[in-house]
Amino acid sequence: MWETLRRAGWRGSLYYLWWDASSPVNLTLSALKLGVGLLAHWEAHKAKAKQVGLDYAYPLLSALPEKQITLMGFSLGARVAYYIMRGWPQTADRRLKDVILLSGAVRRQADKNWSLHVENITGKLVNIYNEDDLVLAYVFKVPSLNRSPCGIKPIKEFHPRIENLNATHLIGSGERSYEAYLPYLEFLLDQKLDWKSRSGRLN
């Protein structure tokens, strides 16, 4: 990941947020053990991702020396990034630059107020999605009454700072992990961000 971001033009600091997550792949592999509890288990981790983004992330980020921050998250990590953006204080002395979502586990509908919350950033919200992500489609859409996440379709709101990138032809339905994006991430980011012509900070 670090090497890919450097090749994409990032020249700032790099930080990794570890939190107690559960990937959809691991959840699917555990389906026989969990049975009908699989979806409830996934919903619990979705709720935890929301809490991390709203309640815990900003105090951590505000302790960093960088004054400008970019976020990138995969799956539930993208959900954390969305809620960090949503809860970012207007009076903060640090600014959110870009937010990059990979296979995001966040509903793409307008009731998520994407256009309102994207005003908390100064750069772009880049949603990179894969229509063939069958795991995300199953564990997200079934308990969400068939409402789809932004990880498999474009965000359903127009805003000049919201960019949707379809990576289906690159990623397909193969292994579901952030590593699957790495061979193409530099190309995808180069389409929408100008990292190679500026420097900044990534957290």
Side-chain angles (χ1 to χ4, degrees), residues 42-43 46 107 139-148:
W42 169 245
E43 287 297 294
K46 279 175 55 183
R107 282 191 291 109
V139 298
F140 194 100
K141 290 182 71 174
V142 172
S144 298
L145 302 177
N146 209 37
R147 290 175 293 184
S148 57

Side-chain angles (χ1 to χ4, degrees), residues 17 19 49-62 69-73 76-90 92 94-99 101 106 117-118 120-121 203:
L17 170 65
W19 59 289
K50 178 178 179 179
Q51 184 178 25
V52 169
L54 286 178
D55 298 336
Y56 301 129
Y58 180 75
L60 292 173
L61 296 175
S62 65
I69 295 168
T70 284
L71 303 170
M72 178 184 290
L76 286 172
R79 186 175 180 84
V80 172
Y82 164 81
Y83 280 104
I84 293 174
M85 175 183 71
R86 172 173 158 174
W88 197 264
Q90 292 290 335
R94 287 162 177 78
R95 308 309 303 166
L96 274 183
K97 180 63 175 176
D98 302 311
V99 176
L101 309 179
V106 188
H117 302 317
V118 81
N120 289 336
I121 68 176
N203 298 277

Side-chain angles (χ1 to χ4, degrees), residues 10-28:
W10 191 260
R11 296 295 176 264
S13 303
L14 293 163
Y15 296 91
Y16 177 75
L17 170 65
W18 183 92
W19 59 289
D20 184 13
S22 184
S23 75
V25 172
N26 291 336
L27 287 172
T28 302

